[in-house]
Structure formats: structure tokens, C-alpha cells
Amino acid sequence: MNRGGWYRRLLRFYPRSFRDRYGAEMELHFDQTQQDANGVGRLRFGARVVGDFVRTAASAWVTTLVRQSARTLKGGGVVDRLSQDIRFAI
């Protein structure tokens, strides 16, 4: 597998809208940061990437689902605030 292949596979767990918007930038940042890591630093880097992935993927899905629900509900302002509260809680 190429250097960032496992990271690209992780990106598939994000909602498509999130990947379309941020995926290329995230891959570029990953590639640049991974080049700077070496030896034990790579292990620490990998652990940090997985931790960040778990946190941000969950938040991205919550945001996506709440926004989809808001489209069907009136009074989207309340739903938007709830979405923000959930993201910060995660």
C-alpha cells in the first residue's frame, strides 16, 4: 500500500459531502505531516491520526444527519444550535 493509502481508506468513513469539501486538503496535510514524522514519531503520529479520525468522523456524521433533518423541519435555527452543541460535546 502506498504511504497515504490507509489514510485515504479512513476518509471513506466520512460523509461524502464532508469528503468532497475537505478530503483533498486533509490528504495533503496528512502527507506533509507524515513526511515530517520518523521512527517512533510515526507511531505517535499514526495513533494521533486514528484518534482524530474517530472524533472528527463522528462529528461530521452528526452534523450531516442533523442538517438533513433540519431540511425537513421548520425552525432550522434550533436544529443548527443542537448540531453545534452535539459537535462540541463529541
Side-chain angles (χ1 to χ4, degrees):
M1 183 183 329
N2 60 3
R3 198 166 59 204
W6 66 272
Y7 186 74
R8 285 181 195 86
R9 287 191 175 127
L10 282 178
L11 287 176
R12 292 181 187 164
F13 288 98
Y14 286 92
R16 178 175 294 280
S17 60
F18 185 90
R19 286 191 322 257
D20 290 346
R21 187 169 184 181
Y22 302 108
E25 184 179 340
M26 290 173 73
E27 284 185 45
L28 178 64
H29 178 72
F30 171 82
D31 288 339
Q32 290 171 344
T33 307
Q34 185 182 28
Q35 288 174 3
D36 294 339
N38 57 18
V40 176
R42 284 187 183 225
L43 293 174
R44 227 175 291 143
F45 172 72
R48 193 177 86 212
V49 166
V50 171
D52 288 346
F53 161 76
V54 170
R55 183 178 41 81
T56 59
S59 178
W61 274 107
V62 167
T63 300
T64 299
L65 294 173
V66 169
R67 284 185 180 158
Q68 288 173 351
S69 296
R71 289 184 199 134
T72 61
L73 297 173
K74 292 183 180 180
V78 172
V79 175
D80 289 337
R81 285 192 300 267
L82 177 61
S83 168
Q84 185 178 15
D85 290 345
I86 292 170
R87 281 184 288 152
F88 282 116
I90 290 174

